[in-house]
Amino acid sequence: VSAVAHDGFDMQESTTGTEFGGIWVYCPSADDCGLDSLATGDFVEVYAEVVEYYDLTELAEPESVTVVSTGHTLTPLVLTTGELGTSCTWEGERWEGLLVTVQGVTILSAPNEYGEMGIDDGSGETQLEDDLLDTDTHLSDLVGDDLVGTVMASVTGVVRFAYGSFEIHPRSEADVVLDASISPPPPAPPSPPPSLTPISQINYVADHTGEACESSPLEGEMVGSSGYVSAVAYNGFYMQESTTGTEFGGIFVYCPSADDCGLASLAT
């Protein structure tokens, strides 16, 4: 659970956020979902119908919401405003339902009748919303009524699509940081450049009907890859493509000698 509202909650499949990994769960009443007892960081199981509500994918009117565990820490995914955009595109829809952070953003427009404001970090415009937090009132209390041109060090919130635009919904005052001296969440690790092959692509085998372990489809090919070191041995090291671990996302790098890979200087 990444955010709780009066009529539902947002949830995502990992604590760090993955493409297409977030969704809104709509609850006609708080009692239907036990909203009063839900909290950010809860891990829940939901059984509900998948509904497209004005281009927002959601789980609607759950038959059950079960809290499996609590107290998990979510790390917002660092994006640019241009990656979200405003219009309904595939590029923006990847982040729908996720907890994200944008940094160094400027308010472009005064709040409209719905409390929506345009914001931009230089990469393109998206919207800032006031559904969970009365964002425009909070900002007005901090900097005055004229919000246009206000620069925020970071804004964190959940992503939704409504009224023809993707929006960032801050959850509390702590999600809006004006003081640049306050460190924003750490940036997301860079994506591998196009010339590198993801570890999962090296490992992935589509046909898993055989009884024996399948070989890599890239066996014998020279590839470049990148990842996080998880263990160092005398003859190589293990690395994985994410800090949390993903299917087919780990591999052993064999080194005939320690000098070949600089093993002495590698660390987890």
Side-chain angles (χ1 to χ4, degrees):
V1 175
S2 55
V4 181
H6 69 280
D7 58 347
F9 61 94
D10 294 276
M11 69 176 186
Q12 57 188 58
E13 65 186 15
S14 77
T15 57
T16 53
T18 53
E19 291 186 22
F20 297 103
I23 199 163
W24 165 250
V25 181
Y26 169 65
C27 305
S29 73
D31 293 338
D32 293 334
C33 298
L35 294 180
D36 292 340
S37 61
L38 284 184
T40 300
D42 287 351
F43 184 80
V44 297
E45 289 182 355
V46 178
Y47 288 86
E49 180 184 359
V50 178
V51 172
E52 286 292 329
Y53 183 77
Y54 292 97
D55 294 323
L56 173 69
T57 305
E58 64 180 35
L59 295 175
E61 304 183 35
E63 293 183 1
S64 66
V65 176
T66 304
V67 178
V68 179
S69 57
T70 62
H72 303 281
T73 299
L74 275 61
T75 302
L77 188 66
V78 179
L79 297 180
T80 65
T81 54
E83 286 178 291
L84 285 177
T86 54
S87 59
C88 189
T89 62
W90 180 90
E91 287 79 6
E93 192 168 11
R94 292 179 292 171
W95 319 116
E96 196 174 272
L98 291 177
L99 182 65
V100 305
T101 289
V102 291
Q103 300 173 337
V105 294
T106 301
I107 297 177
L108 302 179
S109 59
N112 62 20
E113 59 183 309
Y114 303 107
E116 300 164 335
M117 295 172 281
I119 57 174
D120 194 345
D121 60 7
S123 64
E125 183 177 351
T126 193
Q127 281 193 349
L128 183 63
E129 248 289 0
D130 71 342
D131 182 51
L132 299 174
L133 169 70
D134 190 355
T135 312
D136 52 327
T137 299
H138 171 58
L139 285 168
S140 295
D141 290 341
L142 294 175
V143 302
D145 292 334
D146 186 7
L147 299 179
V148 177
T150 298
V151 178
M152 294 172 285
S154 67
V155 176
T156 298
V158 289
V159 177
R160 297 181 192 161
F161 184 83
Y163 300 103
S165 177
F166 287 103
E167 307 168 334
I168 298 176
H169 293 244
R171 303 160 299 170
S172 69
E173 294 180 359
D175 280 342
V176 179
V177 180
L178 292 181
D179 186 357
S181 67
I182 301 175
S183 298
S191 301
S195 60
L196 297 182
T197 303
I199 295 172
S200 55
Q201 186 176 328
I202 298 172
N203 286 327
Y204 181 73
V205 179
D207 181 9
H208 54 84
T209 57
E211 295 181 359
C213 292
E214 301 290 341
S215 298
S216 166
L218 302 181
E219 184 179 13
E221 295 186 21
M222 288 294 295
V223 299
S225 193
S226 63
Y228 298 91
V229 176
S230 56
V232 181
Y234 72 95
N235 61 345
F237 61 96
Y238 296 84
M239 70 177 185
Q240 58 189 58
E241 68 182 23
S242 79
T243 57
T244 54
T246 53
E247 290 186 48
F248 297 104
I251 201 164
F252 181 69
V253 182
Y254 169 66
C255 306
S257 74
D259 292 338
D260 291 336
C261 298
L263 295 181
S265 62
L266 285 184
T268 301

